[in-house]
């Protein structure tokens, strides 16, 4: 679990605040109830003392102590109810004390008389076993002038039982409520952050080739709506900037094309007309060569810009990729033989795709051409077409020097050359793979490269397969050359 995630942090805060609120609530309820029960018990004891004093002791002068004991036992049954009652007459001593309660919670004979300050008020007595007794007492003088001290007590554990019960309820339910809140909070956070996941997923899929796509906007009027709207505006601005750059490259290439052609024709004309001065002839030849090179670069740039801007009309037809790759590889065999390079082909039959024949052929040519250009004398190139799931796969691998790891992510960039000297000597301007990538993008295809320095490179193009394998075609069938 990611403890730094927003989901975790908000849930933790939420659970912490809820637990804190529940604890504050529990403590308040506990203290409030304790005070209330204490007060109620005290009131009961005080009223008992009062009743005994006013109703029984006023008649005591005419009756004896036995009568008093019978009356108190009948009215309050202290032994049965676990209560303590004691009546003390000034100058005479104890005239009544209740017996040992049935539950044996306390021993009445061991309860000391109240000190002067404890008279007329409640006090708590603690026994060795931990039991506590709450005793209230009053002093009163009867009509005939006798002074009495009346005490009534009850074990405090009655209150403790209720409070412990409350604590138990809190101990059981509080973790349960907090866990429920944590689970609920986590689920709610997941639900409310789901649109962010969706925005992230869609944003990940937006690249320079599909800048016209937009992120989903959920009309909630909150931060999420503002975020997706702001991101969409940013993508729109990027889209405009990209289109501007593409248009600029396309316009510049287009504008350069005509003067270059004129320059080329002029130079060719001069070369044909002048035959006497060999040195001048060489210079003109070299200038012509450079003009050709510039023309090729301008043509390539124009092609890429138009492909990127979606201005090129693709003439898409159903075609057999194996056939196309086999015939193109055949045409390039002569070029390879100049460097004693062998081209081996492995084409699965009936691998149909929908594409522009000329453009796809350009992809095949560019990749095989690179495999020849950057291979050593006597090297081997493997060209294959196969079917993998829903994809038609075209691969060109060579056993040349390979591409350095740091250069791999850049080889499809415009004007990027891993080995500048070698590439220039081969007539390359670093645009061949950019064209491959642009054509692939126009065909919903993906082009990947893998390479191991010193062992060779492998370029792989995955195109959507037009139709799935039919019964009369064996997917493993390969046309070997
Ligand atoms: P270029 O016109 O220079 O060949 P590309 O766009 O076709 O430009 O290729 C870009 C760079 O990638 C090349 O300059 C070269 O360094 C490297 N490269 C391409 N294909 C291969 C290959 N088969 N083996 C080694 N390096 C390659």
């Amino acid at each position: 679990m990611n403890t730094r995630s927003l989901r975790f942090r908000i849930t933790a805060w939420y659970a912490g605040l809820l637990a804190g609120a529940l604890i504050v609530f529990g403590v308040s309820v506990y203290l409030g109830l304790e005070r209330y029960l204490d007060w109620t018990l005290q009131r009961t004891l005080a009223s008992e003392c009062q009743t005994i004093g006013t109703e029984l002791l006023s008649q005591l002068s005419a009756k004896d102590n036995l009568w008093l004991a019978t009356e108190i036992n009948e009215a309050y049954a202290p032994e049965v109810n676990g209560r303590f009652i004691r009546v003390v007459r000034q100058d005479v001593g104890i005239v009544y004390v209740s017996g040992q309660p049935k539950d044996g919670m306390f021993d009445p004979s061991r309860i000391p008389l109240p000190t002067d300050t404890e008279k007329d008020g409640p006090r708590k007595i603690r026994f060795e076993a931990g039991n506590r007794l709450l005793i209230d007492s009053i002093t009163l003088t009867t009509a005939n002038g006798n002074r009495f001290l009346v005490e009534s007590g009850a074990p405090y554990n009655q209150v403790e039982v209720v409070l412990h019960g409350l604590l138990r309820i809190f101990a059981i339910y509080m973790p349960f409520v907090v866990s429920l809140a944590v689970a609920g909070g986590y689920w709610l956070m997941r639900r409310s952050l789901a649109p962010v996941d969706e925005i992230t997923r869609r944003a990940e899929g937006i690249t320079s080739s599909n800048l016209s796509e937009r992120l989903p906007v959920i009309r909630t009027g909150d931060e999420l709506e503002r975020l997706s709207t702001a991101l969409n505006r940013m993508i729109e601005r990027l889209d405009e900037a990209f289109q501007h750059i593409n248009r600029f490259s396309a316009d510049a290439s287009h504008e350069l094309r005509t003067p270059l052609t004129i320059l080329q024709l002029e130079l060719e004309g001069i070369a044909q007309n002048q035959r006497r001065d060999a040195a001048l002839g060489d210079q003109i030849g070299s200038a012509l060569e450079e003009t050709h090179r510039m023309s090729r670069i301008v043509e390539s740039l124009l092609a890429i810009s138009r492909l990127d801007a979606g201005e090129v009309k693709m003439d898409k037809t159903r075609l057999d990729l194996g056939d196309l790759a086999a015939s193109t590889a055949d045409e390039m065999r002569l070029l390879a033989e100049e460097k004693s390079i062998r081209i081996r082909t492995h084409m699965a039959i009936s691998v149909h795709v929908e594409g522009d024949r000329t453009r796809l052929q350009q992809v095949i040519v560019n990749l095989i051409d690179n495999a020849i250009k950057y291979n050593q004398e006597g090297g081997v190139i493997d060209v294959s077409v196969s079917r993998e799931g829903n994809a038609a796969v075209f691969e060109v691998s060579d056993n040349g020097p390979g591409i350095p790891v740091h250069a791999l992510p850049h080889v499809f960039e415009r004007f990027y050359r891993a080995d500048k000297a070698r590439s220039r000597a081969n007539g390359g301007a670093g645009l061949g793979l950019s064209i491959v990538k642009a054509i692939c993008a126009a065909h919903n295809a993906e082009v990947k490269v893998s390479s191991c320095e010193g062992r060779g490179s492998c370029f792989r193009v995955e195109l959507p397969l037009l139709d799935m394998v039919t019964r009369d075609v064996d997917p493993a069938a390969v046309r070997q050359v």
Side-chain angles (χ1 to χ4, degrees), residues 366-367 369-375 396 398 400-404 407 410-413 415-420 422-424 426-436 449 451 456-459:
N366 282 12
L367 293 180
D369 185 48
N370 276 353
I372 297 171
K373 272 195 305 195
Y374 300 106
N375 210 337
V396 179
D398 61 68
I403 303 167
H410 307 290
V411 288
F412 293 102
E413 288 169 13
F415 296 111
Y416 184 84
R417 288 168 299 184
D419 181 346
K420 291 203 173 34
R422 195 174 171 158
S423 174
R424 216 182 140 74
N426 282 324
L431 288 173
L433 290 178
S434 304
I435 293 180
V436 168
V449 57
S451 180
S457 320
C458 176
F459 285 84

Side-chain angles (χ1 to χ4, degrees), residues 1-22:
M1 187 178 284
N2 179 6
T3 52
R4 284 188 302 171
S5 70
L6 184 68
R7 198 177 299 170
F8 181 88
R9 279 186 294 145
I10 291 191
T11 313
W13 267 102
Y14 170 60
L17 284 176
L18 186 77
L22 280 178

Side-chain angles (χ1 to χ4, degrees), residues 92-111:
V92 175
I94 297 170
V95 290
Y96 172 81
V97 63
S98 55
Q100 172 113 23
K102 281 202 171 138
D103 54 13
M105 289 282 280
F106 58 88
D107 181 0
S109 63
R110 295 183 59 198
I111 298 173

Side-chain angles (χ1 to χ4, degrees), residues 42-115:
Q42 215 175 299
R43 285 276 309 255
T44 313
L45 297 176
S47 87
E48 243 169 51
C49 293
Q50 203 67 44
T51 317
I52 292 170
T54 50
E55 287 179 12
L56 299 178
L57 297 184
S58 53
Q59 303 175 44
L60 193 61
S61 54
K63 317 268 170 141
D64 60 357
N65 289 353
L66 194 65
W67 169 81
L68 180 68
T70 317
E71 285 297 313
I72 293 177
N73 285 343
E74 263 178 26
Y76 301 105
E79 287 89 359
V80 180
N81 293 330
R83 306 291 294 273
F84 166 73
I85 297 175
R86 184 162 61 187
V87 180
V88 183
R89 186 167 159 187
Q90 201 180 26
D91 306 329
V92 175
I94 297 170
V95 290
Y96 172 81
V97 63
S98 55
Q100 172 113 23
K102 281 202 171 138
D103 54 13
M105 289 282 280
F106 58 88
D107 181 0
S109 63
R110 295 183 59 198
I111 298 173
L113 285 168
T115 58

Side-chain angles (χ1 to χ4, degrees), residues 241-310:
F242 259 76
Q243 279 178 16
H244 180 76
I245 293 167
N246 276 335
R247 258 197 316 274
F248 175 78
S249 316
D251 292 349
S253 320
H254 188 75
E255 290 303 318
L256 282 173
R257 219 179 180 188
T258 321
L260 264 176
T261 317
I262 296 169
L263 192 64
Q264 219 169 298
L265 290 173
E266 294 284 349
L267 281 170
E268 277 166 3
I270 297 171
Q272 274 169 12
N273 291 338
Q274 87 81 33
R275 304 213 184 278
R276 267 163 288 163
D277 192 338
L280 185 64
D282 282 352
Q283 280 172 345
I284 294 170
S286 154
L288 245 176
E289 217 172 276
E290 287 307 313
T291 326
H292 280 305
R293 223 175 88 79
M294 269 170 77
S295 290
R296 279 202 305 276
I297 294 173
V298 166
E299 286 301 331
S300 300
L301 257 184
L302 188 61
I304 296 170
S305 309
R306 283 184 171 168
L307 278 165
D308 282 353

Side-chain angles (χ1 to χ4, degrees), residues 203-274:
E204 285 287 352
I206 295 182
T207 61
S208 58
S209 53
N210 59 348
L211 271 174
S212 55
E213 281 188 23
R214 292 290 176 269
L215 301 176
V217 178
I218 304 138
R219 300 272 166 219
T220 46
D222 60 4
E223 290 82 357
L224 278 185
E225 185 184 335
R226 286 203 292 281
L227 174 72
S228 30
T229 312
L231 285 174
N232 274 344
R233 278 199 214 113
M234 188 182 81
I235 297 169
E236 209 169 299
R237 288 193 293 273
L238 282 175
D239 192 15
E240 275 166 19
F242 259 76
Q243 279 178 16
H244 180 76
I245 293 167
N246 276 335
R247 258 197 316 274
F248 175 78
S249 316
D251 292 349
S253 320
H254 188 75
E255 290 303 318
L256 282 173
R257 219 179 180 188
T258 321
L260 264 176
T261 317
I262 296 169
L263 192 64
Q264 219 169 298
L265 290 173
E266 294 284 349
L267 281 170
E268 277 166 3
I270 297 171
Q272 274 169 12
N273 291 338
Q274 87 81 33

